[in-house]
Amino acid sequence: MSDNDGKKTLGLRGGGRPGQVKQSFSHGRTKNVVVETKRKRVVVPKPGAASGSGAASPSAGDPKKRPAGISDAEMERRMKALQAAKARETEEAEARAAEEKAREEERNRRREEAEAKEREEREREEALKAKAEEEERKKRDAEEAKKAAKQPAPAADPAAAQAAEQRGTGKAPSGTRKKDDRGGAADRQNRNTKGAARDDGRRSGKLTLNQALRGGGDRHRSVASMRRKQERARQKAMGEQVDREKVIRDVQLPEAIVVSELANRMAERVADVVKSLMTMGMMVTQNQTIDADTAELIIEEFGHKVVRVSDADVEDVIDQIEDKEEDLVGRPPVITIMGHVDHGKTSLLDAIRNAKVTAGEAGGITQHIGAYQVKTDSGAVLSFLDTPGHAAFTSMRARGAQVTDIVVLVVAADDAVMPQTIEAINHAKAADVPMIVAINKIDKPAANPDQVRTELLQHEVIVEKMSGDVQDVEVSAITGQGLDELLEAIALQAEILELKANPNRAASGAVIEAQLDVGRGPVATVLVQNGTLKQGDIFVVGEQHGKVRALVNDQGDRVKEAGPSVPVEVLGLNGTPEAGDVLNVVETEAQAREIAEYREQAAKDKRAAAGAATTLEQMMAKAKADEDVAELPILVKADVQGSAEAIVQAMEKIGNEEVRVRVLHYGVGAITESDIGLAEASNAPVIGFNVRANASARNSANQKGVEIRYYSIIYDLVDDVKAAASGLLSAEVRENFIGYAEIREVFKVSGVGKVAGCLVTEGVARRSAGVRLLRDNVVIHEGTLKTLKRFKDEVKEVQSGQECGMAFENYDDIRPNDVIEIFEREEVERTLD
């Protein structure tokens, strides 16, 4: 059998330009690779083809059949463009065919290489086996010759002669076993010798790095390898097909992958993958991660196909369905009430709902986003979102504008446009939603609705009474005046928008608010935007996931499902989501968990990348800049996520270049013992907003001396923290000038030094005060007085117009006509604005 089994020798085909490329690896290793550059075939139209085709075209040759308004030149240009397009198509088809042919040749080459390698391995094993058997036979013959020389057998023994004859013919007598040189002790010795040789071959030495990189031809075989060899021999003996064609797999390749996982996806041995990476100069283990480009090279080397995927593909299970027009049905509009604090937003909604929501809010202000459904007298259903108006809740108002269809801007008629009113206008414009202006408190004597309309013009809000397109309604939440007109304006605007949604699909919605309830666990207020959310649905929301355990509407009643534009409280989450997160229903719990874990890991990577982006120089510069900055550390726990975020934002605005407030930790839920431990380690107070500490946390706080402050109104919380931060400011030192003195004469006094004879020209000179020595109106010394005498007596102060003697502490360079400036320092406490 020849080495190539009758197959042609692998070589480069004609038509290309062969060349050599020298590859360099680590440790100075190089490798020459023969490459072939294919010549690109360029298809050039034959001369006269264009004219021939033009003549063949009836529209080109016959003016009657040509389209109207097209000249000969235009028709010629069109025909040339058509021919160029056909030529391009031909070139692309030939390029695709050449590429497919090259891929097929590469696959055949790799298959032939694998077959040749396995054939060589098999021949080498057979040669080694034959060599071992030949050596064993020679050794056995030599031993037999020695035995025969020492003990000659008797010639008259017929049994021995018969045995010798049978040995010569190679047959054994019937009913007897071969107990000569081919059986018995010799046979056992043969087996032991072969076993020892096999073990010695397998344990001949450890695998070195050079052997691994070189190919490891003398490497000992593992037990698993020997078993595979025996299995192949058994299959060959039974006539089964042993050499199977290599299976080419589509390997999905993410942005980073572990070596062992890459081997599993290719169905290759991990050792082979590690060896291939070592050949490329990468010393890695099976538990290390490699990048996608390196993994792609490995996959192609093993003959598989690469399918690039991203980790974000796990989110593809969330259906992005384009709803058909026939599936859409009308839905209630979502109306957001916005405006400045204390302009009557919640009271206006109370009047519409005939409920007393304001009574439940601390201090009479709204600190959460409330979601309600109202049914009008005409039967229309409206979904209202009531957002807080205080400046600290800007982010919450922004979330309200993101999910709304119509914004009702409430402006007090006696207060006009205020800062939060402007913010609400900007949020509505950013969300690109229509606006309706409700001028509230029209019943008050100081009400001036025309002033409100005029001030809105400055912010590009032109109402209908000012010839604009923004509806405006004068209302009073107290008397109920104008409420019907407001509802009519909302219904008219909703009718213009033609709001529709598909209720028969997987639900999606936005989290309006989230909180950690003591008895119910994490609870999220969700406004369903599309589909129908049902009890038992599996969903993912932000970095959290869960299964809908219960749905509670705005009246506190449990419902089985919630359709589009319906606000409900969702129970069954595994954690508290962020307000503003999107809720999506998925098919299986595994999908929800996988998406949530991916989002959580992505958020961690983003935070880690932001931290890693800081260089050492930047960190040292920041540390140096922070040396003189005093910090007030605090811990914040709130009842809902939105309030906690609003408090943190308010805390970040407190401070200046000397002092600042640092929020160590903020969260949702009751104050726990772990919060107290963190506060003690950081010497920080714990602030609870509408939450309380449990019994163990209170006991721990009393033992460790940690202060817990409870608040229910954000005004008081911000004012108290600002006052505490003001206490960290260094006091301002002011100088008050109290007098001037002129040196008339300088005397030398033993034991004292130089003494200045002075005349107090203005104010008073005090011994406790600070002094500066001025020469030609230039300060040459600042210090304190060592002595102040009037004649020979030590005095505390000298009035204007009197003479005195002065001596400076540790300073003697005084001259006549120098001026002494006398001042006192006063410390003034500072506060944060």
Side-chain angles (χ1 to χ4, degrees):
M1 184 177 69
S2 62
D3 293 338
N4 54 10
D5 293 336
K7 297 180 180 178
K8 293 184 179 180
T9 306
L10 182 65
L12 296 173
R13 295 187 177 181
R17 293 190 294 272
Q20 282 193 349
V21 176
K22 188 175 183 181
Q23 293 181 335
S24 299
F25 302 96
S26 60
H27 307 293
R29 293 179 295 106
T30 60
K31 182 180 179 181
N32 290 331
V33 180
V34 178
V35 298
E36 179 185 0
T37 305
K38 291 289 186 180
R39 291 195 181 94
K40 184 175 181 181
R41 181 179 179 186
V42 180
V43 180
V44 180
K46 296 181 180 180
S51 60
S53 61
S57 175
S59 59
D62 191 357
K64 295 180 180 180
K65 297 183 180 181
R66 183 183 304 166
I70 296 180
S71 61
D72 295 340
E74 178 66 20
M75 180 56 66
E76 185 177 355
R77 281 198 298 271
R78 290 192 180 187
M79 296 306 298
K80 287 183 179 179
L82 181 61
Q83 292 168 5
K86 289 182 179 180
R88 280 198 302 273
E89 289 179 1
T90 306
E91 289 180 6
E92 291 174 359
E94 290 179 353
R96 284 195 298 270
E99 186 178 353
E100 183 63 30
K101 185 178 180 181
R103 281 201 293 265
E104 183 65 27
E105 291 176 355
E106 180 67 15
R107 284 196 293 268
N108 294 335
R109 184 184 64 80
R110 288 180 176 172
R111 184 163 59 248
E112 290 173 2
E113 286 181 356
E115 291 175 355
K117 188 176 179 181
E118 189 171 354
R119 188 164 55 249
E120 290 174 2
E121 181 72 16
R122 189 163 57 247
E123 291 174 357
R124 189 175 63 84
E125 290 176 359
E126 293 174 355
L128 290 175
K129 184 177 179 182
K131 185 177 179 181
E133 291 177 353
E134 181 66 21
E135 290 177 356
E136 189 66 28
R137 187 180 61 78
K138 290 180 179 179
K139 185 178 179 181
R140 196 163 50 247
D141 292 343
E143 290 178 356
E144 290 176 359
K146 288 180 182 180
K147 290 180 182 179
K150 290 180 180 179
Q151 297 179 359
D157 190 355
Q162 184 181 2
E165 182 183 356
Q166 289 171 348
R167 267 202 312 273
T169 58
K171 296 181 180 180
S174 60
T176 62
R177 295 177 59 187
K178 290 194 282 185
K179 295 183 181 180
D180 51 4
D181 55 328
R182 296 188 182 272
D187 195 11
R188 285 194 299 272
Q189 182 182 2
N190 184 20
R191 286 198 300 269
N192 293 338
T193 306
K194 291 173 69 176
R198 182 185 59 195
D199 292 341
D200 291 343
R202 195 187 316 148
R203 300 179 176 86
S204 59
K206 295 181 179 178
L207 176 67
T208 64
L209 184 60
N210 290 331
Q211 291 174 349
L213 295 175
R214 200 168 52 240
D218 298 334
R219 182 184 175 186
H220 56 266
R221 301 182 68 86
S222 63
V223 176
S225 177
M226 297 296 290
R227 287 177 179 168
R228 286 194 296 270
K229 178 184 174 184
Q230 294 173 359
E231 180 66 18
R232 286 196 297 268
R234 185 189 64 81
Q235 292 177 352
K236 187 174 182 181
M238 295 179 65
E240 297 180 7
Q241 182 67 26
V242 179
D243 297 331
R244 292 189 300 271
E245 185 178 355
K246 182 178 178 65
V247 179
I248 299 176
R249 305 178 187 276
D250 292 335
V251 181
Q252 291 189 347
L253 181 60
E255 297 166 1
I257 189 170
V258 180
V259 175
S260 57
E261 177 63 21
L262 177 62
N264 290 337
R265 294 189 181 187
M266 294 191 299
E268 303 285 352
R269 292 189 299 177
V270 179
D272 295 339
V273 177
V274 172
K275 177 181 171 183
S276 181
L277 286 166
M278 286 183 175
T279 308
M280 296 170 59
M282 297 182 61
M283 304 303 158
V284 297
T285 64
Q286 63 176 356
N287 297 322
Q288 285 182 252
T289 304
I290 58 176
D291 59 281
D293 294 334
T294 306
E296 184 174 359
L297 294 175
I298 297 297
I299 294 171
E300 291 177 350
E301 184 176 338
F302 279 89
H304 300 289
K305 294 181 180 179
V306 179
V307 180
R308 285 285 190 120
V309 296
S310 173
D311 291 338
D313 292 344
V314 297
E315 298 197 25
D316 291 344
V317 298
I318 299 175
D319 295 332
Q320 301 293 336
I321 302 175
E322 291 293 335
D323 295 317
K324 297 180 181 178
E325 188 65 30
E326 58 268 18
D327 296 335
L328 299 177
V329 297
R331 66 171 178 85
V334 178
I335 303 102
T336 300
I337 308 279
M338 286 187 173
H340 189 69
V341 62
D342 201 26
H343 273 202
K345 300 180 296 300
T346 307
S347 300
L348 185 63
L349 186 58
D350 288 348
I352 297 173
R353 297 178 61 222
N354 295 323
K356 296 295 179 184
V357 179
T358 311
E361 294 283 2
I365 66 170
T366 303
Q367 311 193 62
H368 305 150
I369 294 182
Y372 317 101
Q373 272 202 321
V374 176
K375 193 170 185 179
T376 61
D377 297 336
S378 60
V381 178
L382 308 176
S383 297
F384 281 93
L385 298 182
D386 181 20
T387 62
H390 189 263
F393 295 92
T394 301
S395 60
M396 296 172 66
R397 281 203 312 279
R399 293 194 202 102
Q402 287 169 1
V403 297
T404 190
D405 300 316
I406 302 170
V407 169
V408 174
L409 181 65
V410 179
V411 186
D414 60 343
D415 202 10
V417 177
M418 298 300 287
Q420 277 76 53
T421 311
I422 300 171
E423 289 182 11
I425 293 172
N426 294 333
H427 288 319
K429 289 181 178 179
D432 195 21
V433 292
M435 188 187 312
I436 298 173
V437 178
I439 304 175
N440 196 17
K441 302 184 180 181
I442 198 68
D443 57 312
K444 287 198 172 185
N448 188 356
D450 292 334
Q451 181 184 356
V452 173
R453 297 186 180 99
T454 305
E455 292 187 7
L456 287 173
L457 289 174
Q458 302 175 7
H459 305 286
E460 300 177 359
V461 178
I462 307 172
V463 299
E464 288 180 344
K465 289 194 176 181
M466 307 288 283
S467 302
D469 55 356
V470 177
Q471 298 184 73
D472 64 312
V473 183
E474 298 180 4
V475 296
S476 172
I478 304 299
T479 63
Q481 176 185 348
L483 292 183
D484 293 337
E485 289 84 351
L486 178 61
L487 293 177
E488 287 178 6
I490 294 172
L492 176 61
Q493 188 67 57
E495 188 176 347
I496 294 172
L497 294 175
E498 296 183 354
L499 302 171
K500 293 182 179 181
N502 180 11
N504 303 316
R505 55 165 291 179
S508 63
V511 176
I512 303 299
E513 191 54 88
Q515 61 183 343
L516 186 63
D517 195 285
V518 177
R520 301 185 297 173
V523 179
T525 303
V526 177
L527 179 70
V528 181
Q529 294 174 298
N530 217 338
T532 302
L533 185 62
K534 303 174 183 177
Q535 188 172 345
D537 280 348
I538 298 167
F539 62 89
V540 59
V541 50
E543 300 175 23
Q544 314 297 333
H545 63 94
K547 186 176 182 179
V548 179
R549 194 172 73 238
L551 297 173
V552 182
N553 63 10
D554 60 317
Q555 304 293 332
D557 301 328
R558 288 205 172 195
V559 294
K560 295 292 184 183
E561 60 182 30
S565 301
V566 177
V568 286
E569 286 187 339
V570 179
L571 283 70
L573 294 97
N574 70 327
T576 307
E578 299 284 337
D581 285 343
V582 178
L583 180 143
N584 293 100
V585 173
V586 295
E587 294 181 358
T588 64
E589 197 167 342
Q591 291 176 347
R593 189 184 304 108
E594 188 178 8
I595 295 171
E597 289 175 355
Y598 161 71
R599 290 177 177 175
E600 185 178 4
Q601 186 62 40
K604 287 182 181 178
D605 294 343
K606 188 176 181 181
R607 289 192 293 267
T614 305
T615 63
L616 183 60
E617 290 78 7
Q618 291 173 336
M619 291 175 65
M620 295 189 66
K622 186 177 183 298
K624 189 174 181 180
D626 291 346
E627 282 181 357
D628 300 329
V629 179
E631 284 188 343
L632 174 64
I634 60 172
L635 270 81
V636 177
K637 294 300 285 290
D639 54 343
V640 294
Q641 187 75 29
S643 297
E645 292 179 2
I647 293 170
V648 171
Q649 290 179 2
M651 296 300 102
E652 290 175 352
K653 295 178 182 178
I654 298 176
N656 53 21
E657 66 277 0
E658 295 182 37
V659 64
R660 65 186 173 201
V661 178
R662 181 180 170 210
V663 180
L664 298 174
H665 171 70
Y666 75 95
V668 176
I671 299 170
T672 61
E673 199 169 353
S674 62
D675 298 328
I676 302 299
L678 178 58
E680 183 205 13
S682 308
N683 195 21
V686 180
I687 293 177
F689 188 77
N690 287 334
V691 295
R692 293 294 181 268
N694 54 34
S696 60
R698 286 197 301 270
N699 295 336
S700 179
N702 293 332
Q703 293 173 3
K704 298 176 180 178
V706 176
E707 183 184 10
I708 301 177
R709 303 290 294 271
Y710 298 122
Y711 296 93
S712 57
I713 299 177
I714 197 169
Y715 300 119
D716 301 338
L717 189 154
V718 174
D719 292 342
D720 285 2
V721 173
K722 190 178 291 185
S726 299
L728 297 176
L729 287 172
S730 58
E732 181 181 355
V733 178
R734 295 179 182 173
E735 291 185 355
N736 297 322
F737 295 100
I738 59 175
Y740 287 91
E742 183 180 349
I743 299 177
R744 297 295 177 90
E745 194 65 46
V746 178
F747 306 97
K748 287 185 179 180
V749 179
S750 59
V752 178
K754 289 186 177 181
V755 176
C758 306
L759 174 65
V760 179
T761 59
E762 184 180 343
V764 62
R766 290 196 182 97
R767 186 177 179 184
S768 59
V771 292
R772 291 191 185 96
L773 184 63
L774 306 180
R775 184 174 295 161
D776 295 331
N777 291 323
V778 177
V779 178
I780 61 173
H781 175 69
E782 180 177 344
T784 57
L785 291 176
K786 182 165 60 174
T787 179
L788 178 64
K789 288 190 176 184
R790 172 95 171 129
F791 300 108
K792 291 185 179 180
D793 300 328
E794 192 81 24
V795 294
K796 292 183 177 179
E797 65 178 34
V798 179
Q799 297 296 326
S800 175
Q802 296 179 350
E803 293 182 345
C804 61
M806 295 183 187
F808 291 91
E809 194 79 41
N810 299 325
Y811 191 77
D812 285 341
D813 183 18
I814 54 177
R815 302 174 187 177
N817 297 326
D818 287 350
V819 177
I820 298 174
E821 187 179 70
I822 307 153
F823 60 91
E824 286 183 341
R825 289 186 176 93
E826 179 187 5
E827 291 187 354
V828 180
E829 290 188 2
R830 298 161 60 201
T831 58
L832 291 169
D833 296 332

